[in-house]
């Protein structure tokens, strides 16, 4: 039963909610200085540099892998470029034991958690060391060790799963929460609404982080929703919400730290809307020149979140031109070397076609596999990658 | 042993599982204090608390999305979809998420603890939207297990089997039998194996195969056929996916004839899959074409459901036609 006590009126009064304007939380200006009266979060040098290294890793990985895709070495890629602060700033405010359920362009969070360049490459090239055994498209990372749920292509499906996962964490009493990332486009899916409503009703320790980056593939936010962004929807579910400058690493960190406290200490789900911009294309298969102007992109390039962080680090004397040069060079070298290594590794074994469908291979599938092996043995030149594997067993 | 109807047996299975392992949770629409619209979850909230047995908002995709996350975390969710007819808003979460979690993550993550319960089938004057048998839609999806019990003893044993199976499982309950089917049920925790058909009655002339509520229909049809001197072997498939090809094929090697029956429509129904596989395996042993006795290729009707359904007379006719071919 609802407990809302509503004022009574005697003529039809409509409201479109316009009186609820949500403020935007900012701390850091583009020149690396804090806004007047803004206070930097409690972030020590070591953690600040860990964040910055993850940002640089992500940016360089994005540049190199997009180039690799253009050269035909990689089938597909998605960049995080422009949204590094929203993703890494929030991930850094979590405990490493908290679960991350991402959408697909949150490689920054994974880099922050410690996923190695080798691990990225193995997935991108789907080789025998890929944890996903070469079953998913590039950028569908996952890591059990780092509490990073394997990415799934269908949009928004991870959002209600995050609510469920976090409910399990609450039941287990382990003091952890789950964060789930998604774009403003995904927030149109039914899964989003289901997830927020269930989380609010059942008081689940989950953080919903909407990267409002302006575009869902080619569809601009203005054609995605009529309201003032995604944040006001939280009111309808009676959920705590905050809107943050998504290119401001300090604000993202501080907002998420506070959101985590609400989630874990008070079992209150929180919605964070990070206002940012997808500087890159949606994916390597997309070309934004068909739907937005260079001028528009240039405005956002001026708000580069990495540069803003770097200027802040320099103002603290935690970072220098020289440090930057060294990091950039060593990272570029590492990316190139690991890419070459990953590309040379063999594909996953033929058996990986039929394992993990169930906990054990059922008889019908085992029979199909034997038929396939026999077939490949008859045409070894047509199936060179798998012919070796097909020889084994019978 | 206690005499129970099927609902009591299901309730007893849930009670048994929740009592044994605190990771087991039951939730769905009206599942909490009310105990579900059919009362399958009666008293569980009172016994195990609101945190482990609770109502969800009316949102099937949310229920299964939430259940997927819970299962990935290591809990053992038993999610109820109030009627199988309403499972489709959750279709994406089931076929793209539950079914593929283990495969796509290379076994880093799985939702093996998940069980989805849903009442299915006709015979209750439920019309278009309270009578469907959707098992074939899900049988096209590798990674799921699909189980249908036929009586209280099977319901408890198979449900406990499903809850403890390390794969996501759909458990379709024949709601026509919820109160109509009564029998002895062991009080202890027992688990029937998934993926194994059960030969209920041995025979030599024809194999008659079905699942769930159709077994009652099959038994009546077989009784009549046996009065005509036809010896029938009756098999309950019990698990639709992955199904027990060996048991069915071995039976057909012996009898040379197969009649498959289900309530769902003919076209694309699971009987077609069985017929195709058995003719591959048993082609030279078959004495007659494999017969399918199913619901018609119409939505499920209200007033004319008796005519629509594959009843004992239709199954009896198919048995006769098969033997006399």
């Amino acid at each position: 039963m609802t407990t809302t006590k509503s004022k009574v009126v005697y003529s039809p009064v409509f409201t479109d909610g316009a009186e609820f304007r949500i403020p935007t939380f900012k701390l850091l200006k583009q020149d690396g200085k804090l806004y007047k009266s803004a206070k930097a979060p409690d972030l020590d040098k070591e953690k600040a540099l860990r964040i910055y290294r993850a940002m640089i890793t992500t940016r360089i990985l994005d540049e190199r892998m997009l180039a690799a895709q253009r050269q035909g070495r990689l089938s597909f890629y998605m960049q995080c470029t422009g949204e590094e602060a929203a993703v890494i700033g929030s991930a850094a405010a979590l405990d490493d034991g908290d679960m991350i359920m991402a959408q697909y362009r949150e490689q920054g969070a994974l880099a922050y958690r410690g996923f190695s360049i080798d691990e990225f490459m193995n997935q991108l090239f789907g080789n025998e060391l890929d944890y996903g055994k070469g079953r998913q498209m590039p950028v569908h990372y996952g890591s059990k060790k780092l509490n990073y749920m394997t990415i799934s292509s269908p949009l928004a499906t991870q959002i209600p799963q995050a609510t469920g996962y976090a409910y399990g964490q609450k039941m287990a009493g382990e003091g952890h929460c789950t964060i789930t990332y998604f774009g403003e486009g995904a927030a149109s899916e039914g899964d989003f609404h289901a997830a927020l409503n269930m989380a609010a009703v059942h008081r689940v320790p989950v953080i919903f982080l909407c990267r409002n980056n302006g575009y869902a593939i080619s569809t601009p936010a203005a054609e995605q929703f009529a309201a003032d962004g995604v944040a006001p929807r939280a009111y309808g579910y009676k959920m705590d919400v905050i809107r943050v400058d998504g290119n401001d690493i300090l604000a993202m960190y501080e907002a998420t730290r506070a959101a985590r406290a609400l989630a874990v200490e008070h079992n209150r789900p929180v919605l964070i809307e990070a206002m940012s911009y997808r500087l890159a294309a949606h994916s390597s298969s997309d070309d934004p020149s068909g739907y937005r102007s260079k001028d528009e992109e240039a405005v956002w390039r001026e708000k580069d979140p990495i540069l803003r962080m770097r200027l802040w680090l320099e103002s603290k004397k935690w970072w220098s031109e020289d440090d930057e040069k060294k990091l950039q060079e060593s990272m570029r070298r590492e990316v190139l070397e690991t890419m070459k290594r990953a590309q040379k590794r063999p594909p996953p074994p033929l058996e990986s076609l039929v394992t993990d469908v169930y906990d054990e291979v059922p008889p019908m599938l085992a029979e199909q596999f034997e038929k396939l092996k026999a077939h490949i043995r008859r045409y070894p030149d047509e199936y060179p990658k798998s012919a070796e594997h097909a020889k084994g067993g019978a | 042993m206690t005499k129970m109807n099927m609902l009591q047996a299901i309730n007893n299975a849930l009670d048994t599982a929740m009592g044994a392992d605190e990771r087991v949770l039951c939730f769905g629409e009206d599942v909490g204090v009310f105990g579900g619209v059919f009362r399958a979850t009666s008293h569980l909230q009172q016994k195990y608390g609101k945190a482990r047995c609770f109502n969800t908002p009316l949102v099937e995709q949310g229920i299964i999305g939430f259940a997927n996350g819970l299962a990935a975390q290591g809990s053992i969710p038993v999610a109820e979809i109030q009627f199988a007819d309403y499972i489709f808003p959750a279709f994406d979460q089931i076929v793209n998420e539950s079914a593929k979690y283990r495969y796509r993550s290379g076994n880093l993550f799985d939702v093996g603890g998940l069980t989805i319960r849903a009442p299915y089938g006709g015979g209750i004057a439920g019309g278009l939207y309270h009578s469907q048998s959707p098992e074939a839609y899900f049988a096209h999806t590798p990674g799921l297990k699909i189980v249908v019990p036929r009586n209280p003893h099977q319901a408890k044993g198979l449900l406990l089997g499903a809850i403890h199976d390390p794969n996501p499982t759909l458990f379709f309950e024949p709601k026509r039998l919820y109160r109509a089917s009564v029998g002895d049920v062991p009080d202890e925790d027992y688990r029937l194996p998934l993926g194994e058909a059960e030969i209920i009655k041995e025979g030599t002339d024809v194999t008659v195969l079905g699942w769930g509520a159709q077994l009652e229909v099959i038994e009546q049809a077989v009784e009549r056929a046996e009065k005509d001197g036809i010896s029938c072997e009756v098999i309950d498939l019990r698990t639709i996916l992955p199904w027990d090809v060996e048991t069915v094929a071995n039976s057909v090697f012996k009898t040379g004839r197969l009649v498959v029956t289900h309530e769902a429509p003919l076209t694309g129904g699971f009987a077609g899959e069985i017929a195709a596989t058995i003719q591959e395996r048993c082609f030279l042993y078959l004495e007659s074409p494999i017969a399918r006795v199913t619901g018609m290729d119409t939505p499920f009707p209200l007033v004319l459901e008796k005519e629509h359904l594959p009843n004992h007379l239709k199954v009896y006719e198919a048995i006769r036609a098969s033997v006399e071919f």
Side-chain angles (χ1 to χ4, degrees):
Chain A
M1 211 177 344
T2 176
T3 52
T4 307
K5 269 211 172 148
S6 173
K7 196 174 92 180
V8 176
V9 293
Y10 301 98
S11 58
V13 178
F14 295 93
T15 172
D16 67 358
E19 62 270 35
F20 301 118
R21 293 295 295 194
I22 295 181
T24 303
F25 174 49
K26 293 170 182 256
L27 291 174
L28 190 62
K29 292 188 289 183
Q30 192 58 36
D31 61 6
K33 296 195 177 74
L34 292 170
Y35 283 95
K36 219 168 113 184
S37 82
K39 190 174 160 295
D42 185 16
L43 200 60
D44 62 25
K45 181 181 171 185
E46 191 193 346
K47 192 159 196 176
L49 292 183
R50 182 177 164 192
I51 291 171
Y52 188 67
R53 284 199 187 93
M55 290 173 110
I56 294 294
T57 304
T58 306
R59 185 66 66 89
I60 290 176
L61 192 66
D62 280 3
E63 287 168 6
R64 294 308 315 165
M65 299 326 286
L66 185 70
Q69 194 278 335
R70 295 293 186 247
Q71 293 159 0
R73 300 164 84 172
L74 194 63
S75 61
F76 180 81
Y77 193 76
M78 293 178 110
Q79 294 173 277
C80 178
T81 302
E83 298 175 76
E84 293 92 344
V87 172
I88 302 169
S90 53
L94 305 173
D95 185 289
D96 283 346
D98 295 339
M99 174 53 78
I100 295 176
M101 290 181 146
Q103 184 164 303
Y104 42 60
R105 65 174 82 260
E106 294 86 353
Q107 52 267 47
L110 196 49
Y112 178 81
R113 283 264 167 111
F115 208 59
S116 71
I117 302 291
D118 262 317
E119 290 175 300
F120 278 112
M121 291 297 171
N122 293 335
Q123 198 287 328
L124 291 169
F125 288 99
N127 65 29
E128 62 176 354
L129 296 181
D130 169 22
Y131 300 132
K133 304 181 188 173
R135 289 165 181 159
Q136 292 213 75
M137 286 167 75
V139 312
H140 288 59
Y141 311 109
S143 171
K144 182 101 176 168
K145 183 179 70 191
L146 299 177
N147 290 309
Y148 194 94
M149 183 61 72
T150 303
I151 304 297
S152 152
S153 298
L155 204 62
T157 51
Q158 80 282 6
I159 312 176
Q161 291 171 18
T163 301
Y165 199 99
Y167 188 85
Q169 290 172 315
K170 175 180 159 182
M171 290 292 288
E174 53 186 32
H176 282 134
C177 67
T178 296
I179 190 168
T180 179
Y181 293 89
F182 49 90
E184 83 286 351
S188 296
E189 294 279 4
D191 286 287
F192 165 86
H193 298 277
L196 267 69
N197 193 34
M198 290 182 81
V201 168
H202 290 287
R203 300 180 62 95
V204 180
V206 55
I207 300 169
F208 299 102
L209 201 150
C210 177
R211 298 176 287 90
N212 189 337
N213 65 10
Y215 289 88
I217 307 187
S218 73
T219 302
E223 290 171 33
Q224 193 68 241
F225 43 71
D228 169 30
V230 171
R233 295 179 201 173
Y235 292 151
Y237 298 118
K238 202 171 190 313
M239 184 186 298
D240 292 312
V241 61
I242 186 167
R243 174 175 285 156
V244 187
D245 177 348
N247 286 17
D248 177 344
I249 191 82
L250 298 185
M252 282 305 302
Y253 179 84
E254 182 58 15
T256 312
R257 189 200 57 73
R260 184 182 189 276
L262 282 173
V264 173
E265 292 160 29
H266 303 281
N267 288 317
R268 295 175 71 94
V270 186
L271 173 62
I272 299 175
E273 184 177 26
M275 306 308 289
S276 185
Y277 190 81
R278 192 195 74 208
L279 270 179
H282 164 72
S283 76
S284 56
S285 312
D286 172 43
D287 174 13
S289 70
Y291 54 84
R292 67 187 191 192
S293 71
K294 290 279 172 216
D295 289 350
E296 180 188 306
E297 291 176 24
V299 169
W300 281 92
R301 236 173 268 285
E302 293 294 308
K303 300 179 186 175
D304 190 321
I306 297 186
L307 179 63
R308 198 186 302 188
M309 166 97 181
R310 182 178 158 191
L311 292 171
W312 179 70
L313 290 175
E314 286 176 358
S315 77
K316 307 269 293 181
K317 309 276 181 231
W318 288 351
W319 197 248
S320 69
E321 188 80 25
D322 195 39
D323 292 329
E324 181 74 18
K325 210 173 141 218
K326 276 186 199 152
L327 177 62
Q328 294 261 0
E329 276 173 11
S330 70
M331 192 58 72
R332 276 176 216 284
R333 200 168 46 239
E334 190 183 348
V335 166
L336 280 175
E337 283 166 8
T338 49
M339 175 157 63
K340 279 183 202 151
R341 251 199 324 271
Q343 242 189 319
K344 277 188 203 141
R345 285 200 176 279
L350 192 61
E351 280 77 4
S352 67
L353 258 181
V354 293
T355 53
D356 307 329
V357 181
Y358 295 94
D359 63 320
E360 291 172 348
V361 180
M364 191 81 122
L365 194 47
E367 191 185 309
Q368 290 172 24
F369 185 55
E370 290 309 318
K371 275 190 186 168
L372 174 67
K373 278 206 292 188
H375 166 80
I376 291 173
R377 281 198 295 269
R378 287 194 293 278
Y379 300 92
D381 300 336
E382 302 284 340
Y383 300 93
K385 276 185 182 173
S386 44
E388 263 320 291
H389 291 294
K391 280 184 197 162
Chain B
M1 286 284 190
T2 306
K3 209 167 248 338
M4 294 183 194
N5 65 30
M6 190 182 280
L7 277 169
Q8 290 164 329
I10 288 164
N11 183 257
N12 187 265
L14 295 171
D15 191 359
T16 302
M18 291 179 90
D21 189 338
E22 63 177 22
R23 293 175 304 158
V24 180
L25 295 96
C26 293
F27 50 86
E29 294 156 8
D30 301 298
V31 160
V33 67
F34 189 58
V37 291
F38 291 104
R39 300 293 193 277
T41 52
S42 287
H43 311 301
L44 296 176
Q45 186 175 84
Q46 288 89 322
K47 200 164 171 184
Y48 298 105
K50 267 188 160 173
R52 289 182 61 201
C53 178
F54 52 88
N55 291 334
T56 63
L58 282 164
V59 56
E60 289 78 10
Q61 75 184 125
I63 293 171
I64 304 304
F66 180 91
N68 278 331
L70 256 177
Q73 178 270 341
S75 295
I76 304 176
V78 186
E80 178 178 301
I81 297 294
Q82 202 159 70
F83 285 87
D85 308 69
Y86 302 122
I87 204 165
F88 299 108
F91 201 67
D92 183 40
Q93 282 288 346
I94 298 171
V95 306
N96 273 328
E97 301 293 320
S98 314
K100 297 174 173 67
Y101 236 90
R102 190 195 304 270
Y103 188 77
R104 74 176 179 214
S105 70
N107 204 24
L108 284 186
F109 299 97
D110 69 77
V111 295
L114 172 64
T115 303
I116 301 167
R117 295 180 36 246
Y120 87 94
I124 59 146
L128 282 75
Y129 298 117
H130 295 83
S131 307
Q132 295 174 68
S133 300
E135 69 272 7
Y137 292 104
F138 297 100
H140 198 55
T141 305
L144 300 174
K145 291 196 176 182
I146 304 169
V147 177
V148 190
R150 72 171 185 278
N151 63 28
H153 178 270
Q154 298 283 310
K156 180 177 175 182
L158 287 171
L159 182 52
L160 284 167
I163 290 169
H164 294 286
D165 189 272
N167 297 285
T169 304
L170 287 160
F171 193 79
F172 288 121
E173 300 163 3
K175 59 183 171 290
R176 182 165 64 80
L177 304 185
Y178 265 162
R179 292 190 176 80
S181 179
V182 178
D184 285 334
V185 176
D187 299 311
E188 71 272 14
D189 184 346
Y190 66 98
R191 297 164 197 178
L192 296 174
L194 307 192
E196 286 182 24
E198 185 190 1
I199 300 170
I200 298 177
K201 193 183 111 30
E202 297 206 16
T204 52
D205 296 333
V206 57
T207 301
V208 189
L209 175 69
W211 49 88
Q214 272 314 92
L215 263 299
E216 205 186 37
V217 169
I218 289 174
E219 274 161 28
Q220 289 174 48
V222 163
E223 205 175 305
R224 196 170 176 134
E226 301 225 309
K227 282 187 187 140
D228 297 345
I230 300 168
S231 166
C232 301
E233 180 140 309
V234 178
I235 300 179
D236 177 3
L237 195 61
R238 300 200 295 194
T239 302
I240 309 300
L241 189 75
W243 66 286
D244 184 354
V245 179
E246 282 316 302
T247 298
V248 180
N250 286 337
S251 174
V252 176
F253 283 138
K254 184 172 72 174
T255 62
R257 297 178 180 90
L258 177 63
V259 174
V260 189
T261 175
H262 58 60
E263 290 186 23
L266 178 76
T267 304
F270 200 66
E273 183 57 44
I274 294 170
T277 302
I278 294 303
Q279 72 85 18
E280 267 176 22
R281 299 281 175 125
C282 310
F283 185 68
L284 293 175
Y285 295 78
L286 285 171
E287 304 281 348
S288 63
I290 296 166
R292 293 178 289 166
V293 189
T294 71
M296 295 168 72
D297 282 344
T298 71
F300 203 101
L302 178 67
V303 175
L304 299 179
E305 78 173 314
K306 183 181 175 186
E307 288 77 2
H308 172 89
L309 276 168
N311 63 12
H312 69 284
L313 289 171
K314 294 179 187 173
V315 176
Y316 164 73
E317 282 210 320
I319 293 170
R320 285 288 304 252
S322 183
V323 173
E324 289 162 11
F325 180 78

